Amino acid sequence: MLVFKTKSLLINYLKSFLDLNKPVGFVPTMGALHDGHLALIKNSSKNNKLTVVSIFVNPTQFNNLEDLEKYPRTLEKDIEKIKNICSNCIIFAPSVDDIYEGKTCAASIEFDGIEFEMEGKHRPGHFDGVGTIVKKLFEIVKPTNAYFGEKDFQQLQIVKKLVLKNKIDVTVVGCPIYREKSGLAMSSRNERLSIESKESAAVIYKTLQIAKEKFGTKSAQEVSLWVINSLNKNKDLKLEYFEIADENTLKTCVRKAKNKKYRAFIAVYIENIRLIDNISLNN
Ligand code: PAF
């Protein structure tokens, strides 16, 4: 398995693929790979001549230093996992200096307001960091197709906007959420949960499923109130937000419209670990 530690070595290697117009798939990650990441990698590997998997814990998208420091870093294990499932993958694992060249800061990016909803409200600057790194990585890899999980649904919409606004020649492919048997959405952060907390966290998806059922007959406000009240009674977790929003604009649903797609979004803390999830409500 080829592992490139600098962008110049990677760019040099990719030249022959790009010159011959062979499709290059790209799966950007921050490592600590789980089955959700592996599904993205398999999807890309099947549909492209070559797949680049980047493993880079991007400092500029963390608004909390402790979260950045505690983010799991498991490069050797990640390389093994990719090796086991992909024969046409290569890995890009650069250093912060190689990427940011001494200026480790995010550009301020406009995403037509999407950046101020939900995650944007609660993690100021987060999407500037995501936009900055994804743009840099797209410029290095020049992928034909790039794969992102729907667990970070707002991030997926942000990346689509970034591509549109900057006229970047890449197809952004959104892939369904992978879940543990309990229904808990797979996340690298789950590694930090104790067994008991993992069990408690199963309530997140159960609640989303009930919210979806209720949304068939009740208003968005009634559903939201029910979720907020029921989770506030749960001592194992702290609800940060629950929101029912238009899937495209991510604006809060005030009144349901027949031709619109809605999603419920949630963020909770369990044992000080922040978990997010979402569910499509009407498709
Ligand atoms: O979803 C992630 O892991 C990160 O936000 C990404 C897209 C790799 C950018 O650092």
Side-chain angles (χ1 to χ4, degrees):
M1 171 90 6
L2 289 172
V3 182
F4 295 88
K5 296 273 173 108
T6 68
K7 58 179 181 247
S8 59
L9 288 174
L10 177 72
I11 289 169
N12 209 23
Y13 178 84
L14 287 174
K15 215 172 167 314
S16 59
F17 283 86
L18 300 171
D19 285 350
L20 293 171
N21 261 331
K22 290 183 183 163
V24 171
F26 179 41
V27 183
T29 81
M30 296 206 297
L33 302 183
H34 50 68
D35 287 353
H37 291 118
L38 300 185
L40 299 180
I41 295 171
K42 283 183 196 157
N43 191 349
S44 174
S45 161
K46 204 170 74 189
N47 293 299
N48 298 278
K49 190 78 188 161
L50 175 81
T51 286
V52 181
V53 181
S54 66
I55 297 178
F56 179 67
V57 181
N58 173 37
T60 66
Q61 71 187 73
F62 286 81
N63 56 322
N64 175 330
L65 196 62
E66 192 189 342
D67 195 23
L68 170 63
E69 277 161 6
K70 291 202 168 147
Y71 203 86
R73 288 160 173 87
T74 55
L75 183 61
E76 291 313 315
K77 269 199 210 161
D78 293 341
I79 295 173
E80 265 321 292
K81 286 184 184 169
I82 299 170
K83 217 193 253 175
N84 288 338
I85 58 146
C86 185
S87 55
N88 60 346
C89 281
I90 59 171
I91 296 171
F92 181 40
S95 66
V96 172
D97 253 7
D98 186 57
I99 291 292
Y100 283 100
E101 297 174 344
K103 281 199 271 172
T104 312
C105 55
S108 171
I109 314 180
E110 230 239 284
F111 298 100
D112 294 341
I114 290 183
E115 71 274 31
F116 301 124
E117 306 296 333
M118 298 178 290
E119 290 299 285
K121 255 185 228 155
H122 294 274
R123 301 183 69 188
H126 170 64
F127 289 124
D128 281 340
V130 170
T132 302
I133 187 63
V134 171
K135 187 159 179 280
K136 279 180 188 290
L137 292 170
F138 280 170
E139 282 160 4
I140 296 166
V141 179
K142 296 192 171 47
T144 322
N145 301 298
Y147 297 79
F148 292 82
E150 284 186 348
K151 185 182 75 78
D152 298 294
F153 192 86
Q154 192 172 5
Q155 167 173 280
L156 172 64
Q157 300 297 58
I158 288 277
V159 172
K160 285 183 180 166
K161 268 273 185 272
L162 179 82
V163 164
L164 206 71
K165 281 184 166 267
N166 292 278
K167 300 188 175 64
I168 303 171
D169 188 15
V170 60
T171 302
V172 176
V173 184
C175 304
I177 300 175
Y178 249 67
R179 297 185 179 280
E180 313 260 357
K181 273 205 186 80
S182 67
L184 175 64
M186 288 199 184
S187 162
S188 304
R189 287 194 169 84
N190 295 356
E191 280 201 13
R192 291 171 52 204
L193 292 170
S194 65
I195 295 173
E196 296 78 39
S197 299
K198 257 195 170 175
E199 276 168 19
S200 316
V203 75
I204 301 169
Y205 185 52
K206 287 203 181 86
T207 306
L208 288 180
Q209 284 176 303
I210 300 174
K212 179 176 177 133
E213 211 181 291
K214 287 187 183 290
F215 192 72
T217 54
K218 299 198 182 309
S219 72
Q221 288 77 1
E222 284 169 320
V223 178
S224 300
L225 205 62
W226 175 81
V227 170
I228 292 165
N229 283 338
S230 84
L231 290 185
N232 279 345
K233 280 187 216 138
N234 188 324
K235 295 215 165 45
D236 295 334
L237 56 85
K238 195 169 137 267
L239 177 66
E240 188 174 66
Y241 68 77
F242 174 81
E243 192 88 53
I244 292 180
D246 179 313
E247 211 173 89
N248 291 313
T249 61
L250 299 187
K251 292 255 175 275
T252 307
C253 168
V254 180
R255 187 178 301 161
K256 286 191 228 175
K258 279 213 171 71
N259 56 345
K260 285 194 174 164
K261 284 187 183 168
Y262 296 103
R263 247 171 213 267
F265 297 85
I266 193 165
V268 305
Y269 280 93
I270 295 192
E271 269 183 351
N272 240 359
I273 296 156
R274 191 171 183 277
L275 302 172
I276 61 170
D277 200 349
N278 67 82
I279 193 168
S280 153
L281 294 176
N282 59 346
N283 57 6

